[in-house]
Amino acid sequence: MSRITGERLLGVLVGVGSIGVLLSAWLVASQVFIGPTCPPLFGIPACWFVLAGYALATIGAWFSDESFGVALFYTGAGAVVLIGIYFSSCQLQGTAQCPTFEALPMCYVSLLAGATLLAVDVVRRRLSPG
């Protein structure tokens, strides 16, 4: 029988972060080559910030045993969650239009993914010795 371990959860973190990087990079490419795709945040398309957040979280997860890795992870995942909360609420209020995939606003997906990163990391740290 398979057992959940800290190492497996680390793989989940890197996997979710990597998927976030890929999807955010797709949005950035759409923004650059097709036209406005993402709502602005501080005058910059939000997908750039989300891409940076996922990249920091993924790199931080790889180096989770180092203090700089922990700082990178929480900075990146925290940014993804905060941006997700902000744009999800704007989407619900009708004050911003998030890019969609199959009619699902990506800000909702990003909020869920960022929260998942944080939750999985909490469980991983509780399972890991040290």
Side-chain angles (χ1 to χ4, degrees):
M1 185 163 153
S2 164
R3 191 171 156 249
I4 295 177
T5 64
E7 186 175 315
R8 288 184 184 184
L9 291 177
L10 180 59
V12 170
L13 292 175
V14 172
V16 170
S18 297
I19 290 168
V21 167
L22 289 172
L23 291 175
S24 298
W26 171 66
L27 290 174
V28 166
S30 295
Q31 181 80 31
V32 170
F33 296 111
I34 296 172
T37 304
C38 301
L41 182 64
F42 306 118
I44 300 169
C47 48
W48 286 94
F49 292 109
V50 174
L51 174 60
Y54 280 120
L56 288 175
T58 304
I59 293 166
W62 277 327
F63 295 101
S64 60
D65 293 336
E66 306 291 330
S67 61
F68 78 93
V70 173
L72 287 177
F73 177 80
Y74 283 116
T75 299
V80 168
V81 168
L82 290 175
I83 293 167
I85 289 169
Y86 176 72
F87 282 109
S88 292
S89 66
C90 289
Q91 176 79 25
L92 289 170
Q93 295 171 10
T95 58
Q97 187 67 35
C98 297
T100 61
F101 180 75
E102 298 293 327
L104 179 64
M106 295 299 285
C107 50
Y108 300 163
V109 175
S110 196
L111 172 57
L112 178 62
T116 299
L117 285 171
L118 293 173
V120 169
D121 187 64
V122 167
V123 172
R124 183 188 70 81
R125 290 186 183 283
R126 288 189 178 162
L127 290 176
S128 296

